[in-house]
Amino acid sequence: QVQLVESGGGLVQTGDSLRLSCAASGRTFSPYAVAWFRQAPGEERVFVSNIRWSADNTFYSQAVEGRFTISKDIAQNTVYLQMNDLKPEDTAVYYCAADLTGWGLMDQESTYYSWGQGTRVTVSS
C-alpha cells in the first residue's frame, strides 16, 4: 500500500516562499499523477496542482498559477510544491494525493486513491 507523507509547512509572512514535499513509500510507486490540494479553515478541500508521473504535464488552479510550481523527483518518489509570493489566502493545510488510474477529473478528490496527513501553511499579513 502506498503511503504519502507531506512536509515543509510552516509560518511565514506575506511574500515569502516555502517548498512542500510529498514523499511516497510502500510498494512500487508508479501513479498516473500526483496532486496537491489544500483546505483552509472552515472551507472545503480544493485542488491546487497536479503533475503527471510519466510525462511533463503540470496543471494549476487559477488561484496559484504563476506563483506555485509543482515538480517531481522520480528516483526519490517525491513531489514538490514550490510556493512563492505567498499570501494570507494561501493559509491552509496542504495535502498530496496519488491518482493511480487517470480515469477521473484531476480537480476532484474522488479521483485520488492515496492521501497524506497534510502539512500546515500559515501566511501572516
Side-chain angles (χ1 to χ4, degrees), residues 31-44:
Y32 176 77
V34 176
W36 286 95
F37 283 71
R38 68 185 182 186
Q39 186 168 23
E43 298 185 11
E44 295 184 350

Side-chain angles (χ1 to χ4, degrees), residues 19 30 34 65 69 84 91 107 124:
R19 189 177 79 157
S30 185
V34 176
E65 178 91 50
T69 302
N84 297 331
T91 294
D107 62 346
S124 64

Side-chain angles (χ1 to χ4, degrees), residues 99-113:
D99 173 7
L100 303 184
T101 65
W103 294 343
L105 298 176
M106 77 170 78
D107 62 346
Q108 300 298 305
E109 289 186 62
S110 59
T111 294
Y112 298 89
Y113 176 75

Side-chain angles (χ1 to χ4, degrees), residues 73-113:
D73 184 334
I74 294 177
Q76 297 295 322
N77 284 346
T78 300
V79 172
Y80 303 99
L81 186 67
Q82 176 67 42
M83 306 187 297
N84 297 331
D85 189 25
L86 283 162
K87 304 175 181 181
E89 51 264 42
D90 295 318
T91 294
V93 177
Y94 285 71
Y95 300 87
C96 65
D99 173 7
L100 303 184
T101 65
W103 294 343
L105 298 176
M106 77 170 78
D107 62 346
Q108 300 298 305
E109 289 186 62
S110 59
T111 294
Y112 298 89
Y113 176 75

Side-chain angles (χ1 to χ4, degrees), residues 11-32:
L11 172 63
V12 297
Q13 296 184 331
T14 298
D16 284 351
S17 298
L18 276 177
R19 189 177 79 157
L20 306 183
S21 299
C22 170
S25 62
R27 62 177 173 85
T28 301
F29 187 63
S30 185
Y32 176 77

Side-chain angles (χ1 to χ4, degrees), residues 56-75:
D56 295 330
N57 307 75
T58 58
F59 305 89
Y60 301 92
S61 69
Q62 282 191 321
V64 307
E65 178 91 50
R67 299 187 297 122
F68 290 11
T69 302
I70 192 170
S71 62
K72 63 183 185 259
D73 184 334
I74 294 177

